[in-house]
Amino acid sequence: MTVHHPVVNPPFNIVRVSHVELGVADLERSRRFYVDTLGLIETEQVGRSLYLRGLEERNHHSFILTEMAEPVVRRFGFKVYAESDLDLIQQRFTELELPAEWTSQHAQGRTLRVRDPAGMPLEFYASMDSIERQLQNYGAYRGCHPQRIDHINCFTHDVDASYEFYAQELGFRTTEYTETDDPEPQMWAVWLHRKGNVHDIALTNGRGPRLHHAAIWVPTAMHIIHLCDLMSTTGYLDAMERGPGRHGISNAFFLYVRDPDGHRIELFTSDYLTVDPDFEPIGWKLRDAQRQTLWGHAAPRSWFEEGSCFYGAEVQNPTLEARPIVAV
Amino acid sequence: MTVHHPVVNPPFNIVRVSHVELGVADLERSRRFYVDTLGLIETEQVGRSLYLRGLEERNHHSFILTEMAEPVVRRFGFKVYAESDLDLIQQRFTELELPAEWTSQHAQGRTLRVRDPAGMPLEFYASMDSIERQLQNYGAYRGCHPQRIDHINCFTHDVDASYEFYAQELGFRTTEYTETDDPEPQMWAVWLHRKGNVHDIALTNGRGPRLHHAAIWVPTAMHIIHLCDLMSTTGYLDAMERGPGRHGISNAFFLYVRDPDGHRIELFTSDYLTVDPDFEPIGWKLRDAQRQTLWGHAAPRSWFEEGSCFYGAEVQNPTLEARPIVAV
Amino acid sequence: MTVHHPVVNPPFNIVRVSHVELGVADLERSRRFYVDTLGLIETEQVGRSLYLRGLEERNHHSFILTEMAEPVVRRFGFKVYAESDLDLIQQRFTELELPAEWTSQHAQGRTLRVRDPAGMPLEFYASMDSIERQLQNYGAYRGCHPQRIDHINCFTHDVDASYEFYAQELGFRTTEYTETDDPEPQMWAVWLHRKGNVHDIALTNGRGPRLHHAAIWVPTAMHIIHLCDLMSTTGYLDAMERGPGRHGISNAFFLYVRDPDGHRIELFTSDYLTVDPDFEPIGWKLRDAQRQTLWGHAAPRSWFEEGSCFYGAEVQNPTLEARPIVAV
Amino acid sequence: MTVHHPVVNPPFNIVRVSHVELGVADLERSRRFYVDTLGLIETEQVGRSLYLRGLEERNHHSFILTEMAEPVVRRFGFKVYAESDLDLIQQRFTELELPAEWTSQHAQGRTLRVRDPAGMPLEFYASMDSIERQLQNYGAYRGCHPQRIDHINCFTHDVDASYEFYAQELGFRTTEYTETDDPEPQMWAVWLHRKGNVHDIALTNGRGPRLHHAAIWVPTAMHIIHLCDLMSTTGYLDAMERGPGRHGISNAFFLYVRDPDGHRIELFTSDYLTVDPDFEPIGWKLRDAQRQTLWGHAAPRSWFEEGSCFYGAEVQNPTLEARPIVAV
């Protein structure tokens, strides 16, 4: 039976999810997708890496695209409140016998590279180069007017174990969750936040660890509708995997697209504020059709099964065999 | 092979599609759907008939709901420019040996009741009682802010014959059409107008004559998105049959819903102006996935097969056996 | 006292307003405004003239920008139904002893150049080169997603005379009008259409003949809001003259901007269908604050006083001295 | 010269602004405004107090309307993270010799009532009764779809002193500020947050302490446009004081309205995330026209001068005499 973890406040303070590095086969092809079509701002290209950010972001990067032999996910990163938090995190990972080493990353300050218990490659940092925001430079608006990275959703082969780690060790707070329909329900997916909306990270049952998707926050549903029109008439028709629609979970208006290397990106808007400490997590049943989409649309099989491997992380089959509703 | 009918200007002037009368089993149940949920304005109830109109409409009615033993479609009507047009239409129907008789309808002037060659019950009139419009009475706005009736879409068992009748005899102008993918393509559906946008009437291959849907024009896609949210959380989840989406044909943003008696209603917006006499019809191939939905979503089987019978009209199987793309 | 002219159907058929030619001082500067900022599509440049159109337009041009010594308005044009209509119009203008001569214009068929009684340079034509529409080429969408020319609004020194000409001689139908607040009200402005929405041409009391503005139809109010953001952060802050707002008249959501030569352009959406022959014109009083803007905002003095001269037309002071509400 | 206060983290944790109690003369009249027009949800009426909340709010109340002889502002409240925070706040206010006493409020847990140095009546609490949220009960959506209280803006006669108190003593973080245009600029207004967007509280130079406005967060600009249409046609035309528009400060799309007792309410959307600890405050000059409104519209004099008195707080003239741009 599902344990609802109480809120834990560890001695360090993770502020929010901050960035993800995706391996790509062809940087130009990816630029056309992320910059020309979605509308992310190009901060700079360094070697074979492209550093991108959203319109409101002053951080140097939230999406990094790097040409690699295999289109795996290199890392995703969290911003912490202070430099001293990094030392406390390093200490805790070491106590837990998890990999944790100092590294340097372009445009970031001191960076701690770790793996979580499922093998996901994370990093933590406190400072990043600041770049002028483009929020009031409306002449730079393109595509769906992407404002910022919102969250990362990962497949994990053991949701219970991953959930316990993020909630109990790292201090993420639960906003919504999905249980199986069994008499003794099992946790099937969970949404966790630090920054005060529905999530910074979500954990979903499946072959893992793999990236399910990275999400970009956009201002309104109309910007997502426009992106559908744009993608479907500029050669990206097959890249539109699911949506647009309204999630029951999170109430978000969404669209899922696949980038040229198959990485899944969600365009996301209209969730809600979750800063209240007495926020009570919202539970859904796995086979409630409105959980996936308030309007009753089922997701395609690919959406439940396909994901991006993480660099150096071995994928395992899930321990839980429950099946969501899948569009046939 | 398809004949593209040249524009014909008959001696009479049909202005636009004006209204439809739908048989319903329970007037209160239908009022909750059309008035409380979609947001149509109730002009008045007379006996067991409810007269409704859109926010901008000054005509007494565009939708009439009448309690009947069978939920059939009683009639749909066209407004003509002048009383004298009615006489010219009556004369032409009589020459064609089609039924055409004078009748009286609540709140309408002299009304000509006819059947088209496929057996559809139409009526023509020149004057209707005028009611104060609600366009700037924003306190009366509900649901999806329905502004006016836009068009009627009918199944016909013989698209070629029906097309010839509406284009050549009644002076409707073609805006878009769908042909089969055959080496010698057959006309599968056609969109025809009088009022200057994509259609007043569309004709679709299938068991007919039956009403495929009646469409209501709404201001923006956002109002349709809101209706999805509203219907899916107020007991109408199963009534949402298809969409929301963008049609390739007509470029319209759409949602198809089924009323409590199964009549199909389309919420429709964002097509284009078609008043130019040199407007060249836009052709689509039946199996072009973007024809149905620019974003590639296929319609469900019910959308292609189900429709409402017309009062007193015998349904026949279509002469053409072509198959559209259907969601499995 | 105001005479409400009955609908007159002349022997010729004017379909809609079609295009306007504006004199500009610097074609590159104007291209940045109309193409890069508003988002009109460039059809082609011929000599020192730039031919532009909206996203849904198949006509070769709706806005023509021509480098001239003086930034005057060269002409505006109406499309007629058939070539024979041109001859009938020529005949009628000649009977009325108004200038009417055949001319040729780039990409247009046979063109009749006339002056109306106030001296405005008009032209009529039946055929224009057809260019592929961009409505479903969403990659070409820019600025406020301008779809088509909507109407022309002109100052005239004698509204009564101009109104009588357009309504009685040319067959334009009245949708809305503004009268003075006098015991014997005078007509102050009138909105007239052929194509089935609120107007193709509006006539406003003032020093005339001058162009008050040319209007572009856009899909939704959100596209106008975005244009405000875009213009105010790309060097066009001072070019935003009035709005955004909701007109009482026409119910349209509007923004008025001034192009680099001072010509006034309205971005316009959300009026209503007016094809019904029994449409009763809607009357407003000049000093009703909600007439100008439903929300009560007064227009600036410049909006009432400034306009573009027409090529070769002498400007006269208005016969009527009534004053609208002006923002101080 | 302006001192930019460094971020201070006091030993207690204020989560966000939570609620405000407004004195009103007629509860029914206020219900028509807040519930029927703006669309707030009525939680319950207790005696002569009406407890309201936004669509996403699970807290029992965010707006309390209480019939009083004088329409003053009774209090506004902040939610803290834990009960123990209340004791720490009480201790600190006592050390500072500011009023701080325990009180009880309907539907709230232990509540600490204080006055800030300017005399504003605040309260702090950790727990409030939880009520089912209406976020996915779309049938309850009305008006502008108000989702939650966003912030409080207060006049203070001494911005420097108030700023120092909220930033240094209470741990609020600065996001934006306005300085005078002097060679040695003075702080004229400042925006401060705890919850991670632009503000929970703003402090503005003027006769104070007085409430300038309380703000409600709405989903999109379209909902604000609709409220303009709704208010201007349902008897609230004169209640629309300023906007709609885009603030330069905060980038928010806004509308300011006055409730039937003159309290100012802002409808507010589209600011940005501010959780990063290295967030650098954005500075504006008082006489930058785009500061007030990105589109250059000046606010009316009433907006700068009128406000609601706080219960039991003496109003003083401001120490700073700088003048913003005012619409004449």
Side-chain angles (χ1 to χ4, degrees):
Chain A
M1 184 173 152
T2 298
V3 175
H4 294 253
H5 295 292
V7 172
V8 165
N9 291 311
F12 45 83
N13 181 351
I14 298 172
V15 172
R16 65 175 178 94
V17 74
S18 155
H19 58 274
V20 61
E21 183 177 3
L22 303 171
V24 302
D26 179 337
L27 215 51
E28 281 316 304
R29 188 179 66 168
S30 294
R31 180 186 270 119
R32 284 194 297 275
F33 181 79
Y34 284 97
V35 177
D36 299 345
T37 305
L38 298 188
L40 288 172
I41 301 293
E42 182 173 338
T43 301
E44 63 173 330
Q45 179 175 345
V46 179
R48 301 313 299 162
S49 288
L50 201 56
Y51 292 82
L52 309 177
R53 68 192 197 283
L55 290 159
E56 76 169 61
E57 290 180 315
R58 292 164 152 194
N59 257 13
H60 178 276
H61 52 260
S62 53
F63 283 81
I64 310 159
L65 309 175
T66 299
E67 275 188 7
M68 299 170 63
E70 295 290 316
V72 297
V73 181
R74 262 277 186 72
R75 51 170 171 145
F76 61 97
F78 295 96
K79 188 164 203 158
V80 300
Y81 192 81
E83 289 292 329
S84 56
D85 290 318
L86 297 176
D87 301 305
L88 293 166
I89 294 171
Q90 193 244 12
Q91 183 182 322
R92 186 60 186 150
F93 270 72
T94 303
E95 287 169 8
L96 293 169
E97 300 186 345
L98 290 167
E101 60 189 22
W102 300 105
T103 184
S104 77
Q105 297 285 13
H106 177 64
Q108 297 177 200
R110 198 166 58 124
T111 299
L112 181 67
R113 174 189 294 167
V114 306
R115 290 209 182 248
D116 81 359
M120 291 193 267
L122 316 180
E123 66 186 26
F124 298 92
Y125 75 96
S127 74
M128 189 185 284
D129 288 0
S130 185
I131 303 285
E132 198 171 6
R133 70 170 188 172
Q134 302 296 308
L135 186 62
Q136 293 185 332
N137 179 15
Y138 284 94
Y141 279 48
R142 295 283 179 277
C144 59
H145 300 189
Q147 283 202 214
R148 54 175 170 76
I149 191 169
D150 188 83
H151 62 263
I152 297 289
N153 185 315
C154 298
F155 283 121
T156 172
H157 80 285
D158 184 342
V159 169
D160 276 340
S162 291
Y163 178 27
E164 183 174 350
F165 180 77
Y166 282 90
Q168 299 298 96
E169 289 294 339
L170 301 186
F172 283 76
R173 302 181 194 171
T174 314
T175 53
E176 306 207 17
Y177 62 91
T178 301
E179 294 176 315
T180 60
D181 303 73
D182 304 325
E184 296 197 13
Q186 302 276 305
M187 188 66 89
W188 190 81
V190 64
W191 285 255
L192 298 152
H193 86 94
R194 288 292 304 171
K195 72 176 166 306
N197 72 347
V198 170
H199 48 331
D200 287 277
I201 189 166
L203 303 163
T204 302
N205 183 65
R207 297 187 69 241
R210 290 182 300 157
L211 178 72
H212 187 279
H213 66 264
I216 296 170
W217 194 87
V218 300
T220 77
M222 283 307 291
H223 298 94
I224 290 177
I225 299 296
H226 179 63
L227 185 64
C228 292
D229 291 332
L230 181 63
M231 289 184 64
S232 63
T233 56
T234 55
Y236 292 106
L237 179 63
D238 294 339
M240 298 164 64
E241 185 183 27
R242 180 185 173 193
R246 169 87 62 198
H247 281 310
I249 284 209
S250 83
N251 199 49
F253 195 89
F254 69 85
L255 176 73
Y256 292 93
V257 299
R258 304 293 288 269
D259 87 355
D261 293 279
H263 302 303
R264 185 181 290 109
I265 301 293
E266 180 183 15
L267 295 312
F268 175 92
T269 192
S270 79
D271 61 344
Y272 52 89
L273 193 70
T274 61
V275 294
D276 283 3
D278 55 358
F279 182 88
E280 188 69 27
I282 297 167
W284 299 80
K285 289 294 179 181
L286 182 55
R287 297 191 66 81
D288 175 352
Q290 293 196 273
R291 182 192 75 89
Q292 289 187 25
T293 311
L294 199 64
W295 310 336
H297 303 165
R301 183 170 302 278
S302 64
W303 194 87
F304 287 108
E305 297 189 350
E306 298 176 10
S308 300
C309 291
F310 286 110
Y311 177 78
E314 193 184 349
V315 174
Q316 301 178 54
N317 283 325
T319 50
L320 179 60
E321 278 302 315
R323 303 285 330 159
I325 302 171
V326 176
V328 280
Chain B
M1 184 174 150
T2 299
V3 175
H4 294 254
H5 295 291
V7 172
V8 165
N9 290 312
F12 46 81
N13 182 352
I14 297 172
V15 172
R16 63 174 179 95
V17 75
S18 155
H19 58 274
V20 62
E21 182 177 4
L22 303 171
V24 302
D26 178 338
L27 215 51
E28 282 316 304
R29 188 179 66 167
S30 294
R31 180 186 269 120
R32 284 195 297 275
F33 181 79
Y34 284 95
V35 177
D36 299 346
T37 305
L38 298 188
L40 287 172
I41 301 293
E42 183 174 337
T43 301
E44 62 173 331
Q45 180 175 343
V46 178
R48 302 312 300 161
S49 288
L50 201 56
Y51 292 82
L52 309 177
R53 68 193 198 281
L55 290 159
E56 76 170 61
E57 290 180 314
R58 292 164 151 194
N59 258 13
H60 177 276
H61 52 259
S62 53
F63 284 81
I64 310 159
L65 310 176
T66 299
E67 275 188 6
M68 299 171 63
E70 295 290 316
V72 296
V73 180
R74 262 277 185 75
R75 53 173 170 144
F76 61 97
F78 295 96
K79 187 164 203 157
V80 301
Y81 191 82
E83 289 292 328
S84 56
D85 290 320
L86 297 176
D87 300 305
L88 293 166
I89 293 172
Q90 194 244 11
Q91 182 181 324
R92 185 61 186 149
F93 271 71
T94 302
E95 288 168 7
L96 294 169
E97 300 187 344
L98 290 167
E101 59 189 24
W102 300 105
T103 183
S104 77
Q105 297 285 12
H106 177 64
Q108 296 178 200
R110 197 167 56 124
T111 298
L112 181 67
R113 175 189 293 165
V114 307
R115 290 208 181 250
D116 81 359
M120 291 193 268
L122 316 181
E123 66 186 28
F124 297 93
Y125 74 97
S127 74
M128 188 186 286
D129 288 359
S130 185
I131 304 286
E132 199 171 6
R133 70 170 189 171
Q134 303 295 308
L135 186 62
Q136 292 185 331
N137 178 15
Y138 283 94
Y141 279 48
R142 296 283 179 277
C144 60
H145 299 190
Q147 284 203 213
R148 54 176 168 75
I149 192 169
D150 188 82
H151 62 262
I152 297 289
N153 185 316
C154 298
F155 283 120
T156 171
H157 80 284
D158 185 342
V159 170
D160 276 339
S162 291
Y163 178 27
E164 184 174 349
F165 180 76
Y166 282 90
Q168 299 297 98
E169 289 293 340
L170 301 187
F172 283 76
R173 302 180 193 171
T174 314
T175 54
E176 307 208 16
Y177 61 92
T178 300
E179 295 176 313
T180 60
D181 303 73
D182 304 326
E184 295 196 14
Q186 302 276 307
M187 188 67 88
W188 190 81
V190 64
W191 284 256
L192 298 152
H193 85 96
R194 287 293 304 172
K195 74 177 163 304
N197 72 347
V198 170
H199 48 331
D200 287 276
I201 189 167
L203 303 163
T204 302
N205 183 65
R207 298 187 68 243
R210 290 182 301 158
L211 178 72
H212 188 278
H213 65 264
I216 297 171
W217 194 87
V218 301
T220 77
M222 284 308 291
H223 297 94
I224 290 177
I225 299 296
H226 178 62
L227 185 65
C228 292
D229 291 332
L230 181 62
M231 289 184 64
S232 63
T233 57
T234 53
Y236 292 107
L237 180 62
D238 294 339
M240 298 164 65
E241 185 184 28
R242 180 186 173 192
R246 169 88 62 199
H247 282 309
I249 282 207
S250 83
N251 199 49
F253 194 89
F254 68 86
L255 176 73
Y256 292 93
V257 300
R258 303 293 287 269
D259 86 356
D261 293 279
H263 302 303
R264 186 181 289 110
I265 302 292
E266 181 183 15
L267 294 314
F268 175 92
T269 192
S270 79
D271 61 344
Y272 52 88
L273 192 71
T274 62
V275 293
D276 283 4
D278 55 358
F279 182 89
E280 187 69 29
I282 297 167
W284 299 81
K285 288 294 180 181
L286 181 56
R287 297 191 65 83
D288 175 353
Q290 294 195 271
R291 181 192 76 88
Q292 289 187 26
T293 311
L294 199 63
W295 310 336
H297 302 166
R301 183 170 302 277
S302 64
W303 193 87
F304 287 107
E305 297 190 350
E306 299 177 9
S308 301
C309 291
F310 286 109
Y311 177 78
E314 193 184 352
V315 174
Q316 301 178 55
N317 283 325
T319 50
L320 178 60
E321 278 301 314
R323 302 286 328 157
I325 301 171
V326 177
V328 279
Chain C
M1 183 173 150
T2 298
V3 174
H4 294 254
H5 295 292
V7 171
V8 165
N9 291 310
F12 45 83
N13 181 352
I14 297 172
V15 173
R16 63 176 178 95
V17 75
S18 156
H19 58 274
V20 61
E21 182 177 3
L22 303 172
V24 303
D26 179 337
L27 215 51
E28 281 317 303
R29 188 179 67 166
S30 295
R31 180 186 269 120
R32 282 195 298 275
F33 181 78
Y34 284 96
V35 177
D36 299 346
T37 305
L38 298 188
L40 287 172
I41 300 293
E42 182 174 338
T43 301
E44 62 174 332
Q45 180 175 343
V46 179
R48 301 313 298 162
S49 288
L50 200 55
Y51 292 82
L52 309 177
R53 68 192 198 282
L55 290 159
E56 76 170 61
E57 290 180 313
R58 291 163 152 194
N59 258 13
H60 177 276
H61 52 259
S62 53
F63 284 81
I64 310 161
L65 310 176
T66 298
E67 276 189 6
M68 298 170 64
E70 296 290 317
V72 297
V73 181
R74 262 278 186 69
R75 52 171 169 145
F76 62 96
F78 295 96
K79 188 165 202 158
V80 301
Y81 192 81
E83 289 292 329
S84 56
D85 291 319
L86 298 176
D87 300 304
L88 293 165
I89 294 172
Q90 195 245 11
Q91 182 182 323
R92 184 61 185 149
F93 272 71
T94 303
E95 288 169 7
L96 294 169
E97 299 186 347
L98 291 167
E101 59 189 24
W102 300 105
T103 184
S104 78
Q105 297 285 13
H106 177 64
Q108 296 177 200
R110 198 167 58 124
T111 299
L112 180 68
R113 175 188 293 165
V114 307
R115 290 211 182 247
D116 80 359
M120 292 193 267
L122 316 180
E123 67 186 26
F124 298 93
Y125 74 97
S127 74
M128 188 185 284
D129 288 358
S130 185
I131 304 285
E132 196 170 8
R133 71 171 187 171
Q134 302 295 308
L135 185 62
Q136 293 187 329
N137 179 16
Y138 283 94
Y141 279 49
R142 295 282 179 277
C144 61
H145 299 189
Q147 284 203 210
R148 52 176 171 76
I149 192 170
D150 188 83
H151 63 263
I152 297 289
N153 185 316
C154 298
F155 283 120
T156 172
H157 80 284
D158 185 341
V159 169
D160 277 340
S162 291
Y163 177 27
E164 183 173 350
F165 181 76
Y166 282 89
Q168 299 297 95
E169 289 294 339
L170 301 186
F172 283 76
R173 302 182 193 170
T174 314
T175 54
E176 308 207 16
Y177 62 92
T178 300
E179 295 176 314
T180 60
D181 303 72
D182 305 325
E184 294 196 15
Q186 301 277 307
M187 188 67 87
W188 191 80
V190 64
W191 284 256
L192 298 152
H193 85 96
R194 288 292 304 172
K195 71 176 169 303
N197 71 348
V198 170
H199 48 330
D200 287 277
I201 189 166
L203 303 164
T204 302
N205 183 64
R207 298 186 67 244
R210 290 181 300 157
L211 178 72
H212 187 279
H213 66 264
I216 297 171
W217 194 86
V218 300
T220 77
M222 284 307 291
H223 297 93
I224 289 177
I225 299 295
H226 178 63
L227 185 65
C228 292
D229 292 330
L230 181 63
M231 288 184 63
S232 63
T233 57
T234 55
Y236 293 107
L237 180 63
D238 294 339
M240 297 164 64
E241 185 185 27
R242 179 184 174 195
R246 170 87 62 197
H247 281 309
I249 284 210
S250 84
N251 198 49
F253 195 89
F254 69 85
L255 175 73
Y256 292 92
V257 300
R258 303 293 287 269
D259 86 356
D261 293 279
H263 302 304
R264 186 181 290 109
I265 302 292
E266 181 184 16
L267 295 312
F268 175 92
T269 192
S270 78
D271 61 344
Y272 52 87
L273 192 70
T274 62
V275 293
D276 283 3
D278 54 358
F279 182 89
E280 188 67 29
I282 297 167
W284 299 80
K285 289 293 180 183
L286 181 56
R287 296 191 66 82
D288 175 353
Q290 293 196 272
R291 181 192 76 89
Q292 290 186 26
T293 310
L294 199 63
W295 311 335
H297 303 165
R301 182 169 302 278
S302 64
W303 193 87
F304 287 108
E305 298 189 350
E306 299 177 9
S308 301
C309 291
F310 286 110
Y311 177 79
E314 194 184 350
V315 174
Q316 302 178 54
N317 283 326
T319 51
L320 179 60
E321 277 303 313
R323 301 289 326 158
I325 302 170
V326 176
V328 280
Chain D
M1 182 172 152
T2 298
V3 175
H4 294 254
H5 295 292
V7 172
V8 165
N9 291 311
F12 45 83
N13 182 352
I14 297 172
V15 173
R16 63 176 179 95
V17 76
S18 156
H19 58 274
V20 61
E21 182 176 3
L22 303 172
V24 302
D26 179 337
L27 215 51
E28 282 316 304
R29 189 180 65 166
S30 295
R31 180 186 270 120
R32 283 195 297 275
F33 182 77
Y34 284 96
V35 177
D36 298 346
T37 305
L38 298 188
L40 287 173
I41 301 293
E42 182 173 337
T43 301
E44 61 173 332
Q45 179 175 345
V46 179
R48 301 312 299 161
S49 288
L50 200 55
Y51 292 83
L52 308 176
R53 67 193 199 282
L55 290 159
E56 77 170 61
E57 290 180 313
R58 291 164 152 195
N59 258 13
H60 177 276
H61 52 260
S62 53
F63 284 81
I64 310 160
L65 310 176
T66 299
E67 276 188 6
M68 299 170 64
E70 295 290 317
V72 297
V73 180
R74 262 276 185 72
R75 51 171 170 145
F76 60 98
F78 295 97
K79 188 165 203 159
V80 300
Y81 191 82
E83 288 293 329
S84 56
D85 290 319
L86 297 177
D87 300 304
L88 293 165
I89 294 171
Q90 194 245 11
Q91 181 182 322
R92 185 60 186 149
F93 271 72
T94 303
E95 287 169 8
L96 294 168
E97 300 185 346
L98 290 167
E101 59 189 25
W102 299 106
T103 184
S104 77
Q105 296 285 13
H106 178 64
Q108 296 179 200
R110 198 165 57 123
T111 299
L112 181 67
R113 174 188 293 165
V114 306
R115 289 208 183 251
D116 81 359
M120 291 193 268
L122 316 181
E123 67 186 26
F124 298 93
Y125 75 97
S127 73
M128 189 185 285
D129 289 359
S130 185
I131 304 286
E132 197 170 7
R133 70 169 188 172
Q134 303 295 308
L135 185 61
Q136 293 187 329
N137 178 16
Y138 284 93
Y141 279 48
R142 295 283 179 277
C144 61
H145 299 189
Q147 284 203 212
R148 52 177 170 77
I149 192 170
D150 189 82
H151 62 263
I152 297 289
N153 186 316
C154 298
F155 283 119
T156 172
H157 79 284
D158 185 341
V159 169
D160 276 339
S162 291
Y163 177 27
E164 183 173 349
F165 181 76
Y166 281 90
Q168 299 297 97
E169 289 294 339
L170 300 186
F172 282 76
R173 302 181 194 171
T174 315
T175 53
E176 308 207 15
Y177 62 92
T178 300
E179 296 176 314
T180 60
D181 303 73
D182 305 326
E184 295 196 14
Q186 301 277 307
M187 187 67 88
W188 191 81
V190 64
W191 284 257
L192 298 152
H193 85 96
R194 288 292 303 172
K195 70 176 168 304
N197 71 349
V198 170
H199 48 331
D200 287 277
I201 189 166
L203 303 164
T204 302
N205 183 65
R207 298 187 66 246
R210 290 182 300 157
L211 178 71
H212 188 278
H213 67 263
I216 297 171
W217 194 87
V218 300
T220 77
M222 285 306 292
H223 298 94
I224 289 177
I225 299 296
H226 178 64
L227 185 65
C228 292
D229 292 331
L230 181 64
M231 289 184 62
S232 63
T233 56
T234 55
Y236 292 106
L237 179 63
D238 294 338
M240 298 165 64
E241 185 184 28
R242 179 185 174 194
R246 170 86 63 197
H247 281 310
I249 283 210
S250 84
N251 198 49
F253 195 90
F254 68 86
L255 176 73
Y256 292 92
V257 299
R258 303 293 287 269
D259 86 356
D261 293 279
H263 303 303
R264 187 181 288 109
I265 301 292
E266 180 184 16
L267 294 312
F268 175 92
T269 191
S270 78
D271 63 343
Y272 52 88
L273 193 70
T274 62
V275 294
D276 283 3
D278 55 358
F279 182 89
E280 189 67 28
I282 297 167
W284 299 81
K285 288 294 179 182
L286 181 56
R287 297 191 66 81
D288 175 353
Q290 294 196 272
R291 181 193 76 89
Q292 289 186 27
T293 310
L294 199 63
W295 311 335
H297 303 165
R301 183 170 302 276
S302 64
W303 193 87
F304 287 107
E305 297 189 351
E306 299 176 11
S308 302
C309 291
F310 286 110
Y311 176 78
E314 194 184 349
V315 174
Q316 302 178 54
N317 283 325
T319 51
L320 179 59
E321 278 303 313
R323 302 286 329 157
I325 302 170
V326 176
V328 281

